[in-house]
Amino acid sequence: MVTLVVSTTTDPASFGPASALTSLGNWTPGISFQGVRSKVNGEVRLLEHDKGIVEEDDLDKRWEDVTGEVVDEIVFLSKHTAVTNRPALTIHPIGVPHLKDGDAPPQGGKPGWAAVPSPRMTSWLILLKKIAQSHNLVPEFEITLEATHHGPVTTKPTMFVEIGSTIDCWKRQDAAQVIAQLVWEGLGIGGGEAVGNWNSMASNKKVLLGVGGGHYVPRHMDIILKGGVWVGHLLSGYSLPMEDPAESKGEKDSNNVGGTWKHAIKAAYDATVEGFPGGEVIAHLDHKSFKGWQKKAIIEYLSEQNIKIGKPNDFY
């Protein structure tokens, strides 16, 4: 089983950390295929290509086809953009489950799809904060999760690790070194134990499925940062398109609230269950982010799907 770490030469927040990672330990040249180059260290394969980071679909399948090696997980190195331009180091799952067939995904992926989320995200977020503090990047840089968004298409557990939010930040060598150290320690490349391996026998098998809120999922982060809680997909409000049934007659229940929100929840839930076999996936709602009719419809739908809803204390 191998882990793919993917970088691109088109993005300084991607090739910067990749270059810093290769300065740690002994990396040997690996195979090249279909415009993708690789380096090898133990069970980790560092891939480099020359397209946008969201443009190379199915790298896990393609690697397996070419090498015969079984891919266990994928970590993508990328830049982060934000309207605030605030410096940030972020981690997030990927997918566009709210898009419908015929929609053109603006940043890769395929409509209606959610990647299997990496089980490492909680542990890596906590480790990232620790490493960033040791490099004096906090409080200048915000350390945060982001909601599920964009591609590329993958089939194995996946997460993005990003540097934001301006070109000056993307080129920062200290930020690149922090991300490189995160990957090095997080994957146990130097011989240590990898951080965040899923264990269905752990004392706490509860996995948070975030539903609602803003892009930086603050209500879900409040729970996750306390530690000990696994995190799967995080669906912000924009990934839950709901059509107000105000014009319709009769009761506003989940069956007459249009939009792709149901599919988004189901796709995110199913992918999270796949990423945490034997785990207990529990939905956590950012209640204040919804209007009354929206919250009612979502709670009804989750109940219909037998998806448990948890309050903050239910995750510990």
Side-chain angles (χ1 to χ4, degrees):
M1 303 285 275
V2 300
T3 296
L4 304 184
V5 179
V6 183
S7 68
T8 171
T9 59
T10 66
D11 174 5
S14 184
F15 67 72
S19 177
L21 182 60
T22 59
S23 71
L24 302 172
N26 297 313
W27 296 80
T28 58
I31 68 159
S32 296
F33 70 104
Q34 302 161 12
V36 180
R37 301 165 295 280
S38 69
K39 294 181 179 178
V40 174
N41 191 322
E43 302 304 310
V44 177
R45 309 292 180 259
L46 178 60
L47 274 54
E48 178 187 81
H49 62 75
D50 305 312
K51 296 183 179 179
I53 196 69
V54 300
E55 295 176 17
E56 285 280 12
D57 287 335
D58 298 315
L59 279 171
D60 44 2
K61 286 182 178 180
R62 290 157 60 193
W63 182 266
E64 290 180 342
D65 289 344
V66 169
T67 67
E69 295 180 332
V70 177
V71 174
D72 190 38
E73 61 185 321
I74 314 178
V75 179
F76 288 88
L77 308 176
S78 176
K79 66 184 177 185
H80 170 68
T81 58
V83 292
T84 63
N85 288 336
R86 180 174 179 184
L89 304 175
T90 77
I91 293 173
H92 69 85
I94 64 171
V96 284
H98 62 295
L99 297 183
K100 58 184 182 296
D101 286 343
D103 289 344
Q107 293 179 296
K110 60 184 177 183
W113 158 86
V116 179
S118 169
R120 301 189 189 279
M121 290 187 291
T122 293
S123 298
W124 277 37
L125 180 71
I126 294 168
L127 178 59
L128 176 58
K129 192 167 188 176
K130 177 183 174 183
I131 296 171
Q133 287 171 333
S134 73
H135 284 73
N136 298 314
L137 290 189
V138 177
E140 179 189 5
F141 279 74
E142 181 180 13
I143 314 300
T144 184
L145 293 173
E146 294 180 72
T148 298
H149 64 303
H150 70 60
V153 175
T154 61
T155 57
K156 300 300 176 72
T158 302
M159 67 174 156
F160 262 62
V161 180
E162 302 185 352
I163 300 173
S165 299
T166 65
I167 191 166
D168 289 338
C169 294
W170 302 337
K171 292 181 175 180
R172 289 265 296 260
Q173 188 59 32
D174 50 359
Q177 289 171 346
V178 165
I179 299 302
Q181 189 176 342
L182 171 69
V183 175
W184 179 263
E185 292 185 22
L187 295 178
I189 301 174
E193 186 174 348
V195 177
N197 289 325
W198 167 243
N199 178 9
S200 63
M201 303 303 292
S203 58
N204 188 353
K205 297 187 290 183
K206 296 173 180 177
V207 183
L208 184 147
L209 171 70
V211 181
H215 184 70
Y216 297 99
V217 295
R219 298 289 77 78
H220 310 312
M221 282 278 291
D222 290 343
I223 298 172
I224 295 161
L225 278 176
K226 291 182 180 178
V229 181
W230 305 89
V231 61
H233 274 289
L234 298 164
L235 297 176
S236 68
Y238 62 76
S239 291
L240 297 165
M242 304 180 78
E243 297 169 1
D244 188 347
E247 301 298 320
S248 67
K249 298 178 181 179
E251 185 70 19
K252 293 182 182 179
D253 60 30
S254 65
N255 293 321
N256 59 24
V257 175
T260 57
W261 61 280
K262 286 184 182 180
H263 178 83
I265 291 173
K266 188 68 166 64
Y269 174 78
D270 288 346
T272 299
V273 168
E274 185 176 347
F276 296 87
E280 181 185 5
V281 179
I282 304 173
H284 178 255
L285 275 60
D286 184 337
H287 289 276
K288 292 183 178 180
S289 70
F290 296 114
K291 295 177 181 177
W293 63 269
Q294 293 175 315
K295 183 163 65 173
K296 180 176 182 294
I298 288 171
I299 290 173
E300 284 181 0
Y301 178 69
L302 291 170
S303 177
E304 291 168 8
Q305 297 296 314
N306 295 314
I307 299 173
K308 183 179 178 180
I309 301 172
K311 297 177 180 179
N313 289 337
D314 295 330
F315 289 90
Y316 304 113

